Amino acid sequence: MTDQAVAPTPPVRRFRIGDRSFALVVSIAVLVMMILFLVIPVASILLRSFVGETGWGLENYTETLQSGRVWELVGNSLAVAVLTTILSLSLAYTYAYAIQRTHVVFKGFLRLVVMTPLFAPSLVQAQGLIFLFGRNGAFNRFLGFDFDIYGFWGIVLADVLYTFPYAFLILSAALAASDARLYEGAVVMGAKPFRIFRTITLPSTRYGIAAAGFVVFSLTITDFGNAIVIGGDFNVLATEIYNKVIGQGKFGLGAVIGVLLLAPAVISKLLERRIAKRQHALITDQSKPLTVRDNRRRDLVFGLYTYAVACVFMAVPLIVLLASLVKLWPYNLAFSLKHYSFDVQNGAQPLWNSIGVAFATAIFGVILVTVAAIVSQKFRTPLRGPISFLAILPTSIPGMVLGLGYVLAFNSTANPLNVLYGTFPLIVLLYVYYNHAQGFLIATTSLKQISATFDEASTMLGGSQLRTLFRVTLPILWPTLFGVGVFFFMRAMVSLSAVIFLITPQTQVAAVSVLQLSDRGANNQAAAFSVCIMLIVLGALLLARCVLWLAGARHVSLIR
Amino acid sequence: MKNTVLAGVLAALLPTAALAGEITVYTAYEEDEAAAFLELAKQAMPDIEVNMLRLSTGDLAARIIAEKGNPQHDVIWGFAASTIVNPEIADTLEAYAANGVDAIPAAFRDGDNMWFAVTGYMAAFCVNTERVEKLGLDVPKSWADLVDPKYKGEVVMPNPASSGTGYIQVSSILQMKGEDEGWSFLDQLDGNIAQYIKSGSKPCNAAAAGEYAVGASFDMRAIKNIEEGFPMVMVIPAEGAGNELEANALVASSKNKEDARRFLDWTLTPEAVNAYYDWKAIVTVPGGSLPERFRSAGMPEDTNSILYPTDFQAAGKDRDRIISEWQRRYEN
């Protein structure tokens, strides 16, 4: 205010200059964080691929690439990842379409139920599938089927379930934004529903589909949990890293495969600009939100589909709950609560630790991801390219690789951030950056659909870009961001593969307790521990729901 | 609840540098045994704050290698001897002749006192009696039995490329039969194997769950699963069981070597040895006797009679070669 009184410069210009330097400062801050907590750790481990027995060189690469084995693994990994991506995307798109564009009933329930694979450690998901479809699983043992889940199809099934929630979150955000005027125009011109879908709906969700496809593909190709538990003898690249690093302690050879796995991120980065160019903003200054018309036949068809999918997703948590409540699954089905008196190291304390870590991860995750999304989408600085690439890079890094990278980077006394090693804050940062890509893509998918005309309009009216951000963009975006926070919370409650390398005797988290129990063959107790984790996640969702309710956002759903 | 969370966060924020009277121990003992041993250790040394991190052998090895530049632990406790000799880990150790180490036969400790093993485990089959009965099979008694075509698709064993237990099984077969005959036996066995599972304990858990009839695994896993109540018996292969030692060692970079040494000494005290006998079938120091639950699971009183006299040196030296040959034969 005093500024203005002393030197009355034209407001528009003054704000613009402020904008530009502000944008640059924020961009630099985002990039520095990414370098510290993503680039340096990942580089510390992947550079090991150039360290052979005789010193620096390409020894590990020649050894790996010359064996026929690696190419077979590449083939196996691609087969699983391509098939999973196709299945997961088509199933999730249809599901998200049903939620956003039809009148199926109990949408809240339908949204929640497909999130269940995120509620428990993936180890438990895979164990649940074995309880159901294993050779001695419920279907074979009690219903007389003859399944053998182990192998290629088992991995695909497990990976579709595992990736579906991610695909759904992104696609649902994409389908949520729409401009009724386009659809009204199409109807007036006499277009048939399928034509409308093909010419309006599909193109307007192009970025969402690409983003979801990338996430599903990357998650599948880097996942070793499902491949190890259900894959049988079907080996993939991610299990080969496990063999080399965990089985034989050979970081160099494991790192070579880690480098190969970065390929999808690089390719998608090259394609991203082409896809993003064709994505037009859906919410403009003139857009009207779409109101879904009544159509009973359509609702019935989509209703049947969504409830069939929901049943499949219910099955795993229910069988895990059942296994936690009987004496000895599947031999002694007498009711018992004994598995809930945890005799694992530190008892239930890791659950409380995890709640704290998960809350912190949710808060920091939302802030960091939102800023990164805005910086890469709305600020025209030279840094937006590198930022948007690094933002999605983490999906291409197996958790084990990132976790060991954190050890190498932060345990080193040469790193000034060494004080973080062995603390909860570092675990929080690991979770944020490990799940950065998914959070970032959900945020950008929404952001891309908000027209740049808002920025232009408010600039013309003398508002700064920053002001537009706070007055226009964030108010439209905040329900999505709230959902991103919930997503980070869930991930921090259950992720295992990266954090296993960072826990100390003082910083145990819940997912590790599940692993300890499962390692020692106490599957029923592991199931009971997982049920507690699931209840906490459900409780957190309920709490978030209440917060939204109290904030007056009654029609905003947490999971879009 | 909130206070507990807060306290945890605050505790973690405090400097982690070793305080006097505080040591950090890394162990690969199974979670329940480690907890039982630790309880005793704390009673015996109330003035030392012992922080224990328990991870499976492979995870712990990766962690130790990654932390090599600035190790966080003072003691390695109960960790596979075939892995502790990996140069990346062996380089971080310091020789220490613990009090009473002479009671351990020379085969079970390092000649230069870099490590010593008080306990060990041996290969064992976990056989699901319900499944065996349902399929009309017999309980196999030996590795040789397992190549019978009637077990086709009903046997799982650990993958030696990712599991130490898997490696001792393969290497003991090669050592007892010689390489030529050994590999041709493994070729035959491969025809019956349904899965090479990536951990050493999972094959036993899979057999306990009734997913397969026979899981090649190790003794303690079998005994504990039987105790849990699974319809299962343990079989020690008649040819002699391959075995692995669980080694203890002092970390060279420890800032509290005095207490670290006291802890290592404690692992050889009669009190500790007695506790080992409660949990372990292989204890290298004479002292206790085999508990009833081991005997009822099928463990003979004199465990030495069933162990194959493993050449640990050769097993360590040949590891890379055997694993790549194994992968060439059975993983393509």
Side-chain angles (χ1 to χ4, degrees):
Chain A
M1 288 310 270
T2 37
D3 248 17
Q4 242 168 358
V6 176
T9 35
V12 173
R13 200 163 157 198
R14 197 186 65 139
F15 275 116
R16 278 228 177 125
I17 292 167
D19 269 3
R20 210 171 293 157
S21 42
F22 177 79
L24 203 62
V25 168
V26 177
S27 302
I28 290 171
V30 168
L31 195 61
V32 167
M33 284 293 281
M34 284 174 167
I35 289 171
L36 289 178
F37 295 104
L38 183 63
V39 177
I40 292 177
V42 171
S44 342
I45 182 142
L46 292 188
L47 282 178
R48 292 265 174 136
S49 64
F50 298 104
V51 182
E53 277 170 25
T54 52
W56 289 80
L58 292 173
E59 191 186 319
N60 293 324
Y61 285 87
T62 47
E63 184 180 335
T64 306
L65 299 178
Q66 273 169 8
S67 71
R69 181 179 166 79
V70 75
W71 299 111
E72 195 185 333
L73 295 175
V74 168
N76 286 354
S77 277
L78 284 177
V80 170
V82 169
L83 188 60
T84 302
T85 307
I86 293 170
L87 289 173
S88 186
L89 277 193
S90 1
L91 293 169
Y93 195 96
T94 316
Y95 200 86
Y97 187 90
I99 302 270
Q100 297 292 351
R101 303 290 172 92
T102 76
H103 285 308
V104 294
V105 288
F106 300 121
K107 285 184 181 173
F109 166 77
L110 290 173
R111 284 189 171 104
L112 186 66
V113 74
V114 291
M115 291 296 123
T116 52
L118 300 179
F119 286 12
S122 61
L123 170 83
V124 177
Q125 288 294 319
Q127 185 60 54
L129 283 178
I130 291 178
F131 284 156
L132 281 172
F133 303 115
R135 291 159 54 104
N136 199 24
F139 276 85
N140 287 353
R141 186 181 177 92
F142 302 120
L143 302 171
F145 286 87
D146 192 20
F147 288 120
D148 193 339
I149 195 179
Y150 303 101
F152 177 78
W153 291 104
I155 302 185
V156 171
L157 171 67
D159 279 342
V160 168
L161 289 177
Y162 163 60
T163 56
F164 190 102
Y166 298 93
F168 173 75
L169 283 173
I170 297 171
L171 293 172
S172 186
L175 282 161
S178 60
D179 185 350
R181 293 168 309 152
L182 281 172
Y183 289 88
E184 283 161 8
V187 173
V188 170
M189 287 189 286
K192 292 258 172 0
F194 185 68
R195 192 178 154 85
I196 295 179
F197 175 76
R198 202 167 50 83
T199 55
I200 299 178
T201 313
L202 215 47
S204 71
T205 49
R206 192 192 302 272
Y207 183 82
I209 294 172
F214 165 71
V215 167
V216 170
F217 187 91
S218 303
L219 285 174
T220 310
I221 210 158
T222 55
D223 172 70
F224 65 92
N226 287 328
I228 280 176
V229 181
I230 293 193
D233 283 338
F234 190 83
N235 290 299
V236 291
L237 286 170
T239 53
E240 188 66 7
I241 300 189
Y242 184 89
N243 279 352
K244 293 291 183 233
V245 174
I246 306 297
Q248 295 159 40
K250 292 181 177 169
F251 285 22
L253 291 168
V256 170
I257 298 171
V259 171
L260 292 182
L261 286 174
L262 295 182
V266 175
I267 293 169
S268 79
K269 179 63 203 163
L270 297 175
L271 294 178
E272 193 224 1
R273 197 159 293 168
R274 289 182 53 189
I275 295 161
K277 240 181 218 160
R278 293 198 221 154
Q279 170 77 51
H280 50 263
L282 284 167
I283 302 182
T284 65
D285 43 342
Q286 290 160 24
S287 66
K288 275 167 55 186
L290 183 70
T291 38
V292 178
R293 286 156 204 280
D294 290 327
N295 179 339
R296 296 185 71 174
R297 215 181 66 185
R298 177 202 65 197
D299 292 345
L300 184 69
V301 171
F302 277 101
L304 286 174
Y305 170 75
T306 46
Y307 281 93
V309 172
C311 282
V312 176
F313 277 87
M314 286 291 286
V316 171
L318 284 181
I319 198 99
V320 170
L321 178 65
L322 183 63
S324 77
L325 291 173
V326 300
K327 282 217 169 93
L328 187 69
W329 176 267
Y331 301 105
N332 184 345
L333 302 183
F335 175 80
S336 162
L337 282 175
K338 69 170 178 175
H339 303 301
Y340 284 84
S341 63
F342 305 118
D343 63 356
V344 66
Q345 193 185 8
N346 301 322
Q349 175 62 32
L351 279 172
W352 302 121
N353 292 348
S354 276
I355 292 175
V357 165
F359 264 118
T361 306
I363 292 164
F364 283 103
V366 169
I367 294 172
L368 289 170
V369 157
T370 310
V371 176
I374 289 168
V375 160
S376 77
Q377 300 300 319
K378 299 284 179 197
F379 291 176
R380 297 183 187 286
T381 69
L383 299 178
R384 63 194 295 205
I387 287 174
S388 62
F389 175 67
L390 292 175
I392 59 156
L393 190 66
T395 36
S396 292
I397 300 163
M400 185 201 313
V401 172
L402 190 61
L404 285 170
Y406 263 60
V407 177
L408 290 170
F410 294 102
N411 184 42
S412 160
T413 43
N415 188 335
L417 293 170
N418 173 249
V419 289
L420 288 177
Y421 193 71
T423 67
F424 281 117
L426 192 67
I427 292 180
V428 170
L429 284 159
L430 171 75
Y431 279 139
V432 169
Y433 282 96
Y434 181 42
N435 299 294
H436 194 279
Q438 295 92 311
F440 176 83
L441 286 170
I442 297 169
T444 40
T445 302
S446 291
L447 211 52
K448 268 189 194 305
Q449 292 166 333
I450 300 171
S451 168
T453 50
F454 285 126
D455 300 315
E456 288 156 18
S458 60
T459 312
M460 274 191 290
L461 293 171
S464 69
Q465 210 179 10
L466 202 58
R467 203 177 147 116
T468 318
L469 200 63
F470 281 106
R471 287 291 173 81
V472 183
T473 312
L474 286 178
I476 299 179
L477 209 57
W478 80 268
T480 302
L481 298 182
F482 209 85
V484 171
V486 171
F487 165 78
F488 272 110
F489 183 92
M490 293 194 275
R491 293 302 296 154
M493 283 301 296
V494 305
S495 307
L496 184 61
S497 60
V499 79
I500 184 95
F501 297 105
L502 285 188
I503 53 154
T504 66
Q506 291 83 19
T507 60
Q508 298 278 348
V509 292
V512 175
S513 301
V514 176
L515 176 74
Q516 305 276 33
L517 287 167
S518 159
D519 268 0
R520 69 169 212 225
N523 276 334
N524 298 68
Q525 219 187 116
F529 211 93
S530 309
V531 169
C532 293
I533 295 179
M534 289 191 231
L535 289 177
I536 289 170
V537 172
L538 272 176
L541 280 173
L542 208 65
L543 193 71
R545 180 73 268 183
C546 292
V547 169
L548 279 179
W549 189 269
L550 291 174
R554 294 182 190 192
H555 300 291
V556 171
S557 49
L558 215 45
I559 303 158
R560 296 197 83 179
Chain B
M1 159 201 138
K2 206 170 146 199
N3 284 338
T4 340
V5 174
L6 209 66
V9 172
L10 286 176
L13 282 169
L14 293 170
T16 46
L19 304 165
E22 186 172 356
I23 56 169
T24 298
V25 176
Y26 282 5
T27 184
Y29 277 134
E30 290 218 356
E31 197 270 329
D32 44 2
E33 14 183 277
F37 298 154
L38 182 67
E39 196 54 41
L40 282 176
K42 284 182 168 168
Q43 280 166 22
M45 296 165 282
D47 54 323
I48 307 181
E49 173 81 32
V50 183
N51 301 312
M52 180 183 78
L53 178 71
R54 186 270 156 192
L55 292 174
S56 68
T57 309
D59 288 341
L60 192 58
R63 174 93 175 237
I64 293 172
I65 295 171
E67 288 184 343
K68 195 178 169 185
N70 179 22
Q72 300 290 317
H73 56 305
D74 307 278
V75 170
I76 294 179
W77 185 32
F79 183 71
S82 66
T83 309
I84 213 169
V85 297
N86 176 339
E88 296 242 49
I89 297 175
D91 286 353
T92 66
L93 305 177
E94 180 178 307
Y96 174 57
N99 286 340
V101 78
D102 296 338
I104 302 175
F108 304 135
R109 56 188 158 99
D110 179 60
D112 299 325
N113 282 321
M114 299 305 281
W115 55 265
F116 60 92
V118 199
T119 60
Y121 53 90
M122 68 182 94
F125 302 153
C126 299
V127 184
N128 186 303
T129 46
E130 187 194 84
R131 193 163 184 98
V132 160
E133 204 169 302
K134 199 177 93 190
L135 298 173
L137 300 168
D138 308 313
V139 173
K141 297 286 173 224
S142 61
W143 285 106
D145 284 353
L146 290 184
V147 299
D148 189 320
K150 68 185 177 189
Y151 294 108
K152 190 173 172 55
E154 284 298 332
V155 185
V156 285
M157 74 182 271
N159 185 327
S162 57
S163 151
T165 307
Y167 178 67
I168 61 159
Q169 293 176 357
V170 168
S171 102
S172 69
I173 288 172
L174 293 174
Q175 282 191 9
M176 66 178 83
K177 291 183 188 285
E179 294 254 330
D180 289 344
E181 208 191 314
W183 283 115
S184 75
F185 177 80
L186 288 171
D187 287 346
Q188 283 178 285
L189 185 63
D190 181 59
N192 277 358
I193 301 288
Q195 273 190 53
Y196 293 103
I197 298 183
K198 289 193 172 51
S199 104
S201 51
K202 289 251 156 61
C204 190
N205 297 342
E211 293 289 296
Y212 296 94
V214 183
S217 184
F218 59 93
D219 54 351
M220 289 317 302
R221 187 70 271 141
I223 292 171
K224 286 183 199 167
N225 283 353
I226 291 169
E227 272 187 314
E228 281 280 316
F230 288 105
M232 218 188 79
V233 293
M234 174 175 77
V235 174
I236 306 295
E239 290 92 342
N243 46 85
E244 172 69 287
L245 300 170
E246 293 164 311
N248 308 337
L250 176 66
V251 180
S253 60
S254 167
K255 293 184 189 75
N256 187 2
K257 281 189 188 147
E258 195 186 324
D259 288 337
R261 291 196 183 105
R262 270 179 67 199
F263 183 87
L264 287 168
D265 290 345
W266 173 81
T267 66
L268 281 160
T269 56
E271 166 194 52
V273 169
N274 254 325
Y276 291 140
Y277 273 95
D278 269 347
W279 289 92
K280 294 285 178 182
I282 299 182
V283 183
T284 62
V285 185
S289 65
L290 213 56
E292 179 53 35
R293 60 198 184 115
F294 287 24
R295 255 176 266 135
S296 66
M299 185 67 75
E301 182 66 50
D302 178 15
T303 46
N304 277 320
S305 65
I306 48 170
L307 293 181
Y308 176 77
T310 310
D311 181 345
F312 294 107
Q313 292 289 331
K317 191 165 61 63
D318 296 339
R319 189 167 175 151
D320 287 354
R321 182 178 59 80
I322 289 174
I323 287 176
S324 47
E325 176 65 14
W326 186 90
Q327 287 191 314
R328 190 185 66 75
R329 283 174 184 256
Y330 312 122
E331 279 207 329
N332 278 317

